[in-house]
Amino acid sequence: GRALMELGRFDEAREAYNHTLRVDPTNTIAQKNLQRLDKLMAESIAVDTPTVLDPNLFIAETGRATTTTLVQPATPELLAKMHAGDPVNLEVQENGVSVTGPAGEALGRIEPKLRQRLIRLVGMGNQYAAHVTAVDGESIKIIVRETRRDPSMGNRPSFPATGDTFRGYVRDSLLRYDEEEDDLDLDEVEREREPGAAGEDLLLSDLPGESPEEDDETS
């Protein structure tokens, strides 16, 4: 069904998916693709024959790539034109990151947490590319990959691995999630870029709400 749909043979694709549903009425993949076919056939959207995809596009290399589902996605009619592997554009503004298709059509926006990180990283000189990894009638997922790391970043990854575990820095009362540590790491990079700040160590007093005096009082 998918092969026939990509070739533009919509009637044959519909029959293939309908046959799947006769065998397995609960098959969600066939259901979603039939809905997509309805949109393609209703608007007579021409589906180009896809090029051979590089499997590496879909590998989220630790530290250099991350996947995300776009918020405020485009209409189902527009999403129906996109395919896994399609390149998309990241448009970084001061207060957001928009994702657009090859023709400049708006596909959605990067979710807030990743958006803030990308804005800061691009401002530091990093560069990124993005491709579609999955799309259906209501959502679209992309992979964002680092293509250039500014020398000031050193070996710091763009997208550190995160988890549910806590990590203690000084004492039990000072515990942070890994994702909060990511923001602190970027702050440190920006501080190192300031004149005369190279090589400075992260001091206890640099942490928000902490100072040596407070520690003595607590003791």
Side-chain angles (χ1 to χ4, degrees):
R2 176 62 186 269
L4 291 166
M5 186 165 60
E6 296 291 348
L7 291 171
R9 294 158 62 178
F10 297 148
D11 290 333
E12 295 172 84
R14 179 188 291 279
E15 176 53 33
Y17 287 126
N18 281 328
H19 177 70
T20 300
L21 291 177
R22 286 193 291 271
V23 176
D24 178 13
T26 63
N27 190 298
T28 57
I29 295 176
Q31 293 170 357
K32 289 181 179 180
N33 278 291
L34 277 174
Q35 293 173 1
R36 185 179 178 206
L37 269 171
D38 289 338
K39 295 182 177 67
L40 291 172
M41 297 176 73
E43 298 192 5
S44 300
I45 301 174
V47 179
D48 297 330
T49 301
T51 57
V52 177
L53 298 179
D54 180 2
N56 291 323
L57 289 178
F58 303 96
I59 299 176
E61 182 182 354
T62 302
R64 290 185 176 271
T66 188
T67 58
T68 184
T69 299
L70 300 186
V71 297
Q72 301 175 19
T75 62
E77 290 75 18
L78 185 54
L79 293 182
K81 301 178 183 180
M82 304 303 298
H83 303 84
D86 286 349
V88 294
N89 304 309
L90 299 175
E91 298 185 359
V92 180
Q93 295 97 25
E94 183 177 349
N95 59 350
V97 181
S98 300
V99 179
T100 60
E105 63 275 31
L107 299 177
R109 299 175 67 84
I110 299 293
E111 54 89 12
K113 184 174 180 181
L114 179 57
R115 173 193 69 199
Q116 293 171 2
R117 188 168 188 87
L118 281 174
I119 291 173
R120 297 182 69 181
L121 288 167
V122 170
M124 292 175 182
N126 283 16
Q127 296 177 3
Y128 299 88
H131 290 79
V132 176
T133 60
V135 62
D136 58 30
E138 299 178 353
S139 66
I140 179 170
K141 188 174 184 179
I142 67 170
I143 184 169
V144 179
R145 189 180 305 278
E146 175 191 292
T147 57
R148 178 187 181 274
R149 181 177 297 178
D150 190 86
S152 65
M153 292 292 294
N155 293 324
R156 296 176 177 86
S158 287
F159 311 108
T162 60
D164 295 329
T165 58
F166 287 95
R167 180 178 300 173
Y169 286 90
V170 179
R171 58 175 184 265
D172 291 342
S173 62
L174 182 60
L175 293 172
R176 296 179 178 275
Y177 283 108
D178 285 345
E179 51 265 37
E180 292 179 353
E181 178 190 1
D182 299 343
D183 295 333
L184 183 62
D185 186 53
L186 290 182
D187 291 337
E188 185 180 357
V189 175
E190 291 178 329
R191 213 179 64 206
E192 288 176 355
R193 290 159 62 108
E194 295 175 357
E200 287 185 358
D201 292 328
L202 183 64
L203 303 177
L204 177 63
S205 58
D206 292 329
L207 294 172
E210 293 295 326
S211 66
E213 293 78 10
E214 290 177 354
D215 192 58
D216 290 342
E217 291 174 4
T218 304
S219 299

